Amino acid sequence: MIEYELYKSRQQELLAGAANDRMVMAALRTRRAAAKARRAERRLEHATVQSAAATESVRMRRNLQLLAR
């Protein structure tokens, strides 16, 4: 009977450890997803800034061409 109780307690420890592992993995997935979203947002902001700079550059070049006429 003692062996069975030891077996059951070990089984409960394993199940608790597995539940903890699942919780940790879920937290890591959430953290990775949040970091991925932040990187995508920064990339979009950077592209917007570059686009605005390119538009301004085209505007300036066009104005210079108009002035050179």
Side-chain angles (χ1 to χ4, degrees):
M1 192 67 176
I2 293 175
E3 292 88 11
Y4 179 73
E5 290 174 8
L6 289 173
Y7 166 78
K8 288 304 264 183
S9 68
R10 180 68 181 140
Q11 194 72 9
Q12 289 297 322
E13 289 174 9
L14 289 174
L15 289 174
N20 188 39
D21 290 346
R22 281 192 299 274
M23 185 176 62
V24 168
M25 290 303 291
L28 287 174
R29 270 198 286 310
T30 302
R31 185 175 175 194
R32 285 187 202 122
K36 186 176 181 180
R38 283 193 305 272
R39 284 193 305 272
E41 186 177 317
R42 271 188 260 137
R43 216 175 5 255
L44 180 61
E45 288 173 3
H46 184 69
T48 303
V49 168
Q50 282 186 336
S51 175
T55 303
E56 186 63 27
S57 173
V58 168
R59 237 185 251 139
M60 287 175 61
R61 186 174 39 232
R62 185 170 164 223
N63 288 339
L64 285 173
Q65 287 172 348
L66 291 174
L67 286 174
R69 288 185 183 179

